[in-house]
Amino acid sequence: MAPFPLDIKTLSIVFIVFSLTFSIGLLLFQSAQKKVLGLSLFSLSIFVIGLGTTMLNLRGVIPDFISIIIANVTISYGFHLVLHSLTIFRNHSLEVVRYSRIALVMILVSFVYFTYYEPSIKSRIIAISLYLAFVTASSATVILNGKKKDLTLAVNMMALTFIIYSLFMFFRATKSYFSLKEINGVISGNYLNEFSYIFSIILIVSMSFSMLWLINARLVHSLQCLSQQDPLTTLQNRRALDRAVQRHHTQVNHQPVSIVLLDIDNFKQVNDQFGHIVGDDAIKALAKTVLNIVDLPNTVFRLGGDEILIWLPDSNLEQAAALSEQLRSAIGQIRLEEHPSLQVTSSFGISSLSENEKWKDCVDRADKALYQAKLKGRNTIVIEESCENYSISTKAVSHS
């Protein structure tokens, strides 16, 4: 009695249908979405595996050279393409792909040898099983160690499927090696062949599903980032600032935080004299200058218009004032290529968030300090009035 009600022919047809379906589906998905690196190659790899399996099942209908050698090498090449596509998709080194390419040549040589010079189905099974064990184990390594930041659960699921498949193929090779009798003809009665198709079907389904899961997670993450990013300057926006404030409030230990508010002096006159497009260019130049100086770019936020807020964790007022002086000097050097006569300067208001203080109160003090900087002639740094005894050695800084 057969271990499974499905025979090899049925399992192989199911596998071929699954391979072609997922290959076409992924290609259509790629055409309808923003191009994903490695996805087209991944789709092609599944198609190649299905093509090789189709040739394998035409044994007796087509020449043995095609149904044995070309078919198995095609299947092996398909798995090689899976590995190659995953190294691109997960941004991993291509060195392992070169090893796989060398092993692929060895598979071709071994199949020619064990088909024409020393015929042995058993040896061919061992050869291709060891190659598939190697290439799927390498795929799991690439998935787990890729530099691309992806959803951990989906990454682990895809890697686990490859690991299980690799272990099964190694078991298949070992079991075949220690088998006492040479296998003759098509091994339709061997349970390992049935399991090979079942595991292959599971692998195709799982890795295709995981690939779509990872791509969808990337799209969701990208949308989340865009929702918190200012499109003009690429700085973070108010929504991102609110999240930063919430994270700070949930910290167990209070950390000192200083904030810096700055804007462009006489920005309305810039818009009136040069136009809003030039005004936008000035804002972009201001944002770029700030990002070049601030060590943590994710602490810089555009509040709206030309106003920028810098969140400085673990910084006191002296450190905030020193950074502001660097920025004030650098901003004064900004020159727009199309309007070199335009002189851009900024005023700064600085405050420090006290323990258990409301965030709004701290921002209000920085805003008042910025207003004072405008009254003092602009291109000036003013520190919140709550620190009357504070001083710093720069003429550009004063206290409100």
Side-chain angles (χ1 to χ4, degrees):
M1 182 176 178
F4 294 95
L6 294 175
D7 59 12
I8 291 294
K9 205 71 175 178
T10 304
L11 287 170
S12 63
I13 292 173
V14 171
F15 177 74
I16 293 168
V17 170
F18 270 67
S19 299
L20 297 179
T21 302
F22 278 106
S23 174
I24 295 171
L26 287 170
L27 283 174
L28 292 174
F29 179 84
Q30 173 79 312
S31 65
Q33 301 289 330
K34 180 181 178 181
K35 297 300 179 183
V36 180
L37 292 178
L39 181 57
S40 295
L41 188 59
F42 183 80
S43 305
L44 177 62
S45 68
I46 298 176
F47 176 80
V48 171
I49 293 171
L51 178 63
T53 306
T54 302
M55 290 188 290
L56 191 67
N57 282 273
L58 292 176
R59 181 86 180 271
V61 179
I62 58 178
D64 286 350
F65 177 77
I66 298 177
S67 64
I68 297 176
I69 297 176
I70 299 300
N72 282 281
V73 172
T74 300
I75 292 172
S76 301
Y77 182 63
F79 276 88
H80 168 78
L81 292 179
V82 170
L83 173 62
H84 193 179
S85 66
L86 290 173
T87 58
I88 298 172
F89 181 76
R90 292 283 294 137
N91 191 20
H92 191 276
S93 169
L94 290 173
E95 184 177 4
V96 68
V97 178
R98 290 193 288 270
Y99 293 137
S100 175
R101 193 176 295 122
I102 294 171
L104 193 60
V105 174
M106 295 172 63
I107 283 293
L108 174 60
V109 173
S110 65
F111 263 79
V112 171
Y113 181 80
F114 290 121
T115 300
Y116 295 108
Y117 296 96
E118 190 177 330
S120 172
I121 294 178
K122 178 179 176 178
S123 298
R124 294 201 300 261
I125 289 175
I126 293 172
I128 193 169
S129 296
L130 288 176
Y131 175 77
L132 294 181
F134 161 73
V135 77
T136 49
S138 299
S139 297
T141 302
V142 165
I143 294 166
L144 292 173
N145 298 328
K147 297 178 183 178
K148 197 77 174 179
K149 291 184 178 180
D150 281 314
L151 185 65
T152 303
L153 184 58
V155 168
N156 291 339
M157 176 181 170
M158 180 182 274
L160 179 62
T161 308
F162 277 100
I163 291 171
I164 293 173
Y165 192 86
S166 176
L167 291 174
F168 169 74
M169 282 299 165
F170 182 77
F171 170 76
R172 185 188 186 209
T174 305
K175 186 75 173 177
S176 299
Y177 178 79
F178 287 106
S179 177
L180 296 178
K181 62 178 181 178
E182 176 66 38
I183 304 169
N184 297 313
V186 179
I187 49 176
S188 58
N190 191 307
Y191 73 94
L192 285 178
N193 267 5
E194 295 178 352
F195 269 118
S196 295
Y197 278 105
I198 292 172
F199 272 83
S200 297
I201 292 171
I202 293 173
L203 178 66
I204 291 292
V205 173
S206 178
M207 70 181 187
S208 300
F209 172 77
S210 298
M211 177 64 77
L212 291 175
W213 190 3
L214 287 167
I215 294 171
N216 182 66
R218 287 185 184 181
L219 291 173
V220 171
H221 177 71
S222 177
L223 289 174
Q224 289 176 341
C225 291
L226 288 174
S227 70
Q228 298 181 47
Q229 187 180 66
D230 172 58
L232 177 66
T233 61
T234 72
L235 298 178
Q236 296 190 91
N237 58 20
R238 280 184 176 272
R239 181 177 296 177
L241 177 60
D242 291 339
R243 290 174 64 89
V245 173
Q246 290 174 2
R247 287 195 300 270
H248 177 77
H249 284 326
T250 58
Q251 290 175 348
V252 177
N253 298 319
H254 175 75
Q255 295 178 346
V257 172
S258 293
I259 64 170
V260 176
L261 276 180
L262 67 143
D263 63 10
I264 297 176
D265 293 329
N266 300 312
F267 184 65
K268 186 178 183 303
Q269 294 181 17
V270 173
N271 281 331
D272 292 343
Q273 183 177 351
F274 297 96
H276 288 279
I277 294 178
V278 176
D280 287 345
D281 290 340
I283 293 175
K284 288 189 286 187
L286 173 68
K288 183 178 179 181
T289 302
V290 173
L291 288 177
N292 287 338
I293 294 177
V294 177
D295 292 333
L296 300 173
N298 62 340
T299 62
V300 183
F301 307 86
R302 183 188 180 195
L303 298 186
D306 61 323
E307 192 170 37
I308 291 176
L309 182 145
I310 306 174
W311 169 285
L312 299 173
D314 279 331
S315 296
N316 55 33
L317 289 173
E318 182 177 1
Q319 293 169 318
L323 175 66
S324 298
E325 173 56 22
Q326 279 185 271
L327 290 170
R328 189 193 67 83
S329 177
I331 292 168
Q333 304 301 316
I334 292 176
R335 294 294 183 273
L336 301 181
E337 291 185 6
E338 297 182 0
H339 298 278
S341 62
L342 175 60
Q343 177 70 46
V344 178
T345 62
S346 286
S347 298
F348 297 77
I350 304 173
S351 65
S352 181
L353 182 66
S354 303
E355 188 171 0
N356 299 323
E357 181 187 19
K358 291 183 179 180
W359 165 253
K360 182 179 178 299
D361 294 337
C362 182
V363 175
D364 285 344
R365 291 203 311 277
D367 195 46
K368 291 177 181 178
L370 177 60
Y371 179 72
Q372 289 297 318
K374 300 294 184 183
L375 294 179
K376 291 177 181 293
R378 299 181 173 82
N379 194 23
T380 302
I381 301 168
V382 173
I383 301 170
E384 59 175 329
E385 60 183 13
S386 60
C387 300
E388 295 178 353
N389 297 324
Y390 178 80
S391 63
I392 186 171
S393 57
T394 172
K395 294 180 181 178
V397 179
S398 62
H399 302 274
S400 58

